[in-house]
Amino acid sequence: MDLVQLQRQLVEYRTSLYHEGFLDEQYTQLQELQDENNPDFVVEVVSLFFEDSERLLNELTKALEQQSIDFKRVDAHVHQLKGSSSSIGAQRVQKVCIAFRNYCEEQNVEGCLKCLQQVRHEYSLVKTKLESMFQLEQQILSAGGSIPM
Amino acid sequence: MVVETGFSSPRTDAFPAGLRVLVVDDDPTWLKILEKMLKKCFYEVTTCCLAREALNLLRQRKDSYDIVISDVNMPDMDGFKLLEHVGLEMDLPVISQFSMANVVCSAFFYSSNSIEPLSHKLRLCNVAVMSVDGETRRVMKGVQHGACDYLLKPIRMKELRNIWQHVFRKKIHEVRDIESMEGIESIHMARSGSELFDDGSFLGGEDTTSGRKRKDADNKRDDKDLGDPSSTKKARVVWTVDLHQKFVKAVNQIGYDKVGPKKILDLMNVPWLTRENVASHLQKYRLYLSRLQKEGDVKNSFMGMKHSDTPPKDSTAGSGLRNSINLTQDNVSNGSFSFPVNHTLAPSVDLKGHEGDRKGITSGPMTELKGPFSIDISGPRKAKSSKISFDHSLGSVDSVVNFASFGPTDTAQYSWNEIPEIQFKQEYEPLQLENGFSQLPLPGLQHHMLPEYLQPAVSVSPGPSITEKEATSSGFEVKSMYDEYRSNHAKHSSQTEAVGESHSLNNQVFKSISTTTSSMKSQDTIPNHLTVSEFSPKNLYEGVGAEDLQLCWPQGDCYATNFGLQGLDCTEHNNPAIVSETPFHLYDHPFDPTEYYASDQGLFA
């Protein structure tokens, strides 16, 4: 695929992510923060997000496996996850977190478990998509092109 | 040194480059983002992911930072605690900016020694607190704990830039203030304060402004003011670590139970310190201690519902308020906590002045409110967007404060309305308890509130007699007054926010609790009184321009507003849904008289 095609593909892909709610305005802000001083800023931030989220998801799984669930703890983790997903604009993940917290408050085990499943799902979706997008960007850069905004 | 850069730069309009910022956030992603954003503003950034670490840094090198931005949701230490520590130990004026969004960033300022050469004064540190919830309760809490400003995540570059401008202005004002304090006639200070105030910079002019306001509003309350109402109060006292140590030593010597401002003052042996200064600091200290003490309870208690926490102030509603008010006043005048919150004096002022000075009072804070804190205050203000646009101007502080002050004011108002003691009592007590609530000089807020409140515009005020009835009749009546107030405010902007805030908080709380009295309608008139149930957020929202007030009170901390709701468990509302729905709607709710007062019209008449 030639450069122009790659660039077009990237733009389309990115646009679709916004449309489908995987990303929101915050992601755009991140892109705007990136500059020559930090050419990999977005990728770095997103990587941090991945790391942190995976840790949180593990914590959540553990917490919900307990005999007697500590909902406050679960809620704290979800809250954190919500915060970090909002930091990169991972809107769908964030939304599930909101619902998740409601269940925590109600101490609804089933609801929580369902949400955990959902949030894992949304997380892996957004992770996959972002990784694909980064790959595309890399290809463009390797081909000597620049990332269209 | 550092005074340097930003401040000595001639470009006073631009935010100072080289501003030294300390960012505290446990979330690595946010930390990185903020660092980048701040660097883009040409600030010198230090990041830190633990609150304790931040405290250490601040303690070790107090003068090394100009501003601190801290998240409030941190695992190792509550962001508010951090504020508290910073506030008490370093006598930081703190500004909380609550904003709607997910993350609230509050900035709080702290200044180094009060008696320092001018150049040092420029080195004021501002701390901002961030929170992801944007819940009103947190905002309140932040304000109480002295945050200067609140920002909501996701934070925008623009917000950061604005804050610095305010910080800069604040410093300028502080410089002036400090100069005044050092032996110069307080009137001079007041004058400069008002000038500052007029400039539109809320931060700087706070104490003086409040002092000024106080003067206006307070004519009736001279008794509250220890000593010279107008002049001496204006002097700002910065409670340095040393001074505070002396204070604590004196308190311990006397015995916490028997302590009193005069005794402390005598023991401290600090010639330039006045009894008022000590009194206000004592109040703050008491609140701080009681807050620490009931750390755990606070979450589940209503704001202010914890009557038990009330410091030994008299239990009467009025006095409760007074105390808190005094505190605020003192604070304001003393500038000890140089919170921009000083504006909050209003509450106290209101209390005093409500009798007559409402108008006067309101004028002051009002303006302030319009400023920075879009969070609370802006709620009602239509101007603000749903994201409680904290413009980050210090003004917002006021708005925030308003919230806080709202509490007291409410009570004050109630008393004013001669509402049955019972109800008010509750109201007042909570005020005291409100940790920080009373602490923060919320004059500004109060002011705003009162006028609104009093104006029968929405037939709110006329209620006293009615409310009385109603108050008694229904345990916790939704504050119809509040609603009204809110609606009034909505019309009048900022004020409502304050009111709203409290309401929202209340409502929020109430929502979960509520039941109450559906007789709210009639009870609407009841001033500020606990009306929650009826106005479950849903109802209120209808009329409300909703999005404005998205202040969601964070779970657990029900601040003030619901004074009357004793026993209502302010369950933690972590529920974003609730949060977002409630309070603000309340505020924005253009009070529809027909809705609430329909039947009561006659009553008010």
Side-chain angles (χ1 to χ4, degrees):
Chain A
M1 209 181 300
D2 74 347
L3 186 57
V4 175
Q5 275 182 297
L6 281 174
Q7 287 172 323
R8 199 177 305 147
Q9 196 183 10
L10 174 68
V11 172
E12 277 172 14
Y13 193 62
R14 197 165 56 203
T15 309
S16 76
L17 292 186
Y18 281 99
H19 279 166
E20 292 165 21
F22 285 104
L23 295 178
D24 67 19
E25 164 72 9
Q26 178 62 12
Y27 189 78
T28 316
Q29 294 289 317
L30 287 189
Q31 286 185 301
E32 287 173 8
L33 282 176
Q34 186 162 288
D35 56 20
E36 317 79 55
N37 295 336
N38 281 108
D40 297 320
F41 179 69
V42 180
V43 174
E44 286 168 11
V45 172
V46 173
S47 305
L48 278 175
F49 165 69
F50 288 160
E51 270 173 42
D52 206 37
S53 301
E54 270 150 40
R55 175 187 64 88
L56 288 169
L57 287 170
N58 287 338
E59 292 291 327
L60 279 170
T61 309
K62 268 197 281 183
L64 286 170
E65 276 171 356
Q66 302 298 312
Q67 273 286 30
S68 145
I69 297 176
D70 180 353
F71 285 100
K72 285 232 154 113
R73 187 144 172 267
V74 175
D75 182 74
H77 288 315
V78 177
H79 184 80
Q80 272 187 284
L81 184 60
K82 179 175 148 215
S84 59
S85 62
S86 75
S87 77
I88 66 152
Q91 203 185 68
R92 282 161 70 138
V93 175
Q94 197 185 341
K95 288 198 169 145
V96 178
C97 287
I98 292 174
F100 202 153
R101 291 190 80 194
N102 286 342
Y103 284 123
C104 285
E105 192 167 324
E106 299 170 8
Q107 308 218 342
N108 181 335
V109 181
E110 207 176 296
C112 283
L113 289 172
K114 212 174 49 163
C115 276
L116 176 60
Q117 206 182 15
Q118 246 182 306
V119 83
R120 273 195 179 282
H121 177 67
E122 288 299 337
Y123 167 73
S124 75
L125 274 180
V126 78
K127 178 163 192 255
T128 310
K129 291 188 185 279
L130 283 171
E131 282 172 345
S132 304
M133 194 167 71
F134 290 152
Q135 250 176 12
L136 208 44
E137 288 180 357
Q138 241 347 92
Q139 279 180 283
I140 292 172
L141 290 173
S142 305
S146 61
I147 313 285
M149 271 312 252
Chain B
M1 305 202 18
V2 187
V3 174
E4 36 247 333
T5 23
F7 307 110
S8 38
S9 151
R11 31 174 196 124
T12 55
D13 290 337
F15 52 82
L19 193 69
R20 298 153 307 157
V21 184
L22 175 65
V23 187
V24 190
D25 196 330
D26 62 312
D27 186 329
T29 326
W30 272 117
L31 206 55
K32 190 174 174 82
I33 295 174
L34 284 166
E35 183 186 31
K36 180 70 185 168
M37 287 175 79
L38 292 166
K39 284 195 171 148
K40 282 227 151 170
C41 294
F42 304 109
Y43 297 130
E44 267 181 43
V45 188
T46 306
T47 58
C48 171
C49 60
L50 288 176
R52 287 187 203 288
E53 189 189 322
L55 256 186
N56 286 339
L57 283 174
L58 289 170
R59 281 172 183 148
Q60 286 163 21
R61 301 172 271 162
K62 232 189 336 166
D63 294 341
S64 298
Y65 302 103
D66 299 311
I67 188 161
V68 178
I69 298 185
S70 155
D71 184 14
V72 298
N73 300 307
M74 295 190 288
D76 69 324
M77 186 192 293
D78 187 340
F80 297 120
K81 267 249 199 75
L82 174 64
L83 281 183
E84 190 94 69
H85 283 302
V86 178
L88 261 187
E89 293 177 28
M90 297 165 232
D91 187 29
L92 305 176
V94 178
I95 295 180
S96 300
Q97 211 180 35
F98 283 90
S99 57
M100 278 286 299
N102 290 332
V103 175
V104 168
C105 199
S106 69
F108 52 89
F109 307 146
Y110 73 75
S111 71
S112 25
N113 250 296
S114 55
I115 309 183
E116 273 188 340
L118 211 54
S119 60
H120 284 240
K121 290 167 193 160
L122 293 177
R123 235 177 301 133
L124 286 178
C125 198
N126 304 306
V127 177
V129 172
M130 311 179 287
S131 153
V132 186
D133 352 17
E135 293 158 331
T136 55
R137 244 181 275 166
R138 288 191 162 264
V139 174
M140 256 297 241
K141 198 173 178 190
V143 173
Q144 286 183 356
H145 289 247
C148 309
D149 209 356
Y150 252 75
L151 301 178
L152 286 183
K153 285 178 181 168
I155 303 173
R156 293 284 172 263
M157 287 291 293
K158 205 167 45 156
E159 295 169 348
L160 291 181
R161 289 182 215 268
N162 289 343
I163 293 181
W164 305 153
Q165 285 177 1
H166 285 284
V167 172
F168 185 53
R169 275 204 212 100
K170 180 183 198 328
K171 292 196 183 185
I172 292 184
H173 293 157
E174 287 221 355
V175 170
R176 291 197 209 168
D177 288 346
I178 294 173
E179 281 174 326
S180 309
M181 187 189 76
E182 290 170 349
I184 299 178
E185 177 54 46
S186 58
I187 291 173
H188 165 77
M189 184 168 233
R191 219 181 293 130
S192 50
S194 28
E195 281 166 5
L196 293 176
F197 189 66
D198 292 337
D199 288 344
S201 71
F202 302 131
L203 285 179
E206 284 177 16
D207 3 2
T208 46
T209 308
S210 351
R212 206 177 42 159
K213 292 215 176 32
R214 223 189 358 217
K215 215 179 1 166
D216 295 340
D218 260 3
N219 289 332
K220 301 185 183 224
R221 289 210 138 199
D222 277 353
D223 55 306
K224 293 314 170 183
D225 301 338
L226 311 166
D228 192 1
S230 37
S231 41
T232 47
K233 278 216 186 93
K234 302 324 192 282
R236 166 194 293 224
V237 170
V238 177
W239 283 85
T240 64
V241 179
D242 284 345
L243 200 57
H244 181 67
Q245 291 302 337
K246 283 203 180 114
F247 170 83
V248 175
K249 211 161 76 162
V251 168
N252 293 335
Q253 242 180 294
I254 301 169
Y256 185 73
D257 300 332
K258 303 187 240 126
V259 81
K262 181 106 180 56
K263 290 185 190 168
I264 300 174
L265 185 62
D266 292 341
L267 266 181
M268 279 176 75
N269 195 19
V270 177
W272 51 268
L273 202 62
T274 73
R275 187 185 165 289
E276 297 164 28
N277 301 149
V278 176
S280 69
H281 192 74
L282 175 62
Q283 179 133 20
K284 183 184 183 185
Y285 186 61
R286 277 192 173 131
L287 289 167
Y288 169 71
L289 291 181
S290 67
R291 195 184 356 225
L292 287 185
Q293 195 191 336
K294 33 167 180 123
E295 261 304 274
D297 310 343
V298 172
K299 303 240 159 88
N300 295 325
S301 65
F302 239 30
M303 315 190 293
M305 292 314 288
K306 289 173 113 146
H307 300 285
S308 52
D309 291 320
T310 319
K313 315 234 187 247
D314 61 42
S315 54
T316 57
S319 51
L321 275 182
R322 296 232 171 77
N323 289 332
S324 45
I325 293 181
N326 281 336
L327 179 58
T328 51
Q329 278 190 343
D330 288 335
N331 286 341
V332 175
S333 54
N334 294 334
S336 54
F337 304 100
S338 29
F339 302 97
V341 178
N342 285 334
H343 292 297
T344 53
L345 266 188
S348 47
V349 177
D350 288 337
L351 186 52
K352 295 179 185 181
H354 66 254
E355 270 111 27
D357 284 335
R358 310 198 196 100
K359 302 274 194 258
I361 300 175
T362 26
S363 48
M366 288 296 280
T367 40
E368 294 174 351
L369 287 179
K370 296 212 175 118
F373 296 94
S374 30
I375 305 179
D376 312 327
I377 315 210
S378 39
R381 287 188 249 180
K382 299 301 181 165
K384 306 297 173 146
S385 60
S386 49
K387 182 185 159 141
I388 296 218
S389 47
F390 293 87
D391 296 328
H392 308 290
S393 48
L394 293 180
S396 53
V397 172
D398 285 335
S399 36
V400 178
V401 173
N402 281 333
F403 251 167
S405 52
F406 193 62
T409 336
D410 291 333
T411 47
Q413 291 177 338
Y414 289 120
S415 54
W416 167 71
N417 285 321
E418 296 156 33
I419 293 184
E421 186 81 336
I422 298 168
Q423 291 192 330
F424 290 103
K425 228 183 232 193
Q426 294 174 327
E427 288 184 71
Y428 291 113
E429 286 182 321
L431 285 178
Q432 293 173 346
L433 293 181
E434 248 340 299
N435 306 321
F437 202 73
S438 43
Q439 267 188 10
L440 294 178
L442 303 170
L445 293 175
Q446 296 285 348
H447 289 294
H448 303 296
M449 302 283 199
L450 280 185
E452 286 292 295
Y453 188 77
L454 297 174
Q455 291 164 11
V458 182
S459 62
V460 172
S461 8
S465 48
I466 298 175
T467 44
E468 210 173 289
K469 271 192 251 153
E470 315 215 11
T472 35
S473 57
S474 57
F476 298 101
E477 299 181 304
V478 175
K479 302 184 190 215
S480 50
M481 285 304 265
Y482 277 107
D483 292 321
E484 254 185 324
Y485 205 31
R486 276 180 296 183
S487 47
N488 282 340
H489 288 293
K491 297 175 193 155
H492 301 274
S493 64
S494 58
Q495 295 184 345
T496 9
E497 293 178 85
V499 177
E501 291 301 337
S502 44
H503 274 291
S504 52
L505 188 59
N506 291 335
N507 283 308
Q508 196 172 3
V509 174
F510 286 162
K511 193 177 181 183
S512 47
I513 299 176
S514 78
T515 36
T516 15
T517 25
S518 34
S519 46
M520 290 301 307
K521 290 288 168 115
S522 54
Q523 294 160 356
D524 288 348
T525 56
I526 293 183
N528 308 328
H529 230 13
L530 344 169
T531 47
V532 166
S533 53
E534 188 157 297
F535 295 107
S536 63
K538 301 282 194 223
N539 300 341
L540 295 170
Y541 291 142
E542 284 160 35
V544 175
E547 35 177 49
D548 295 1
L549 299 175
Q550 276 299 328
L551 270 189
C552 303
W553 286 94
Q555 62 281 16
D557 297 322
C558 297
Y559 289 107
T561 54
N562 293 318
F563 303 108
L565 298 171
Q566 206 153 22
L568 285 181
D569 191 9
C570 211
T571 51
E572 311 221 346
H573 284 272
N574 255 331
N575 187 343
I578 293 180
V579 169
S580 54
E581 283 181 10
T582 39
F584 290 92
H585 288 283
L586 294 178
Y587 295 109
D588 286 329
H589 183 75
F591 194 87
D592 177 11
T594 55
E595 190 179 329
Y596 298 114
Y597 295 99
S599 49
D600 300 328
Q601 289 303 329
L603 290 175
F604 290 109

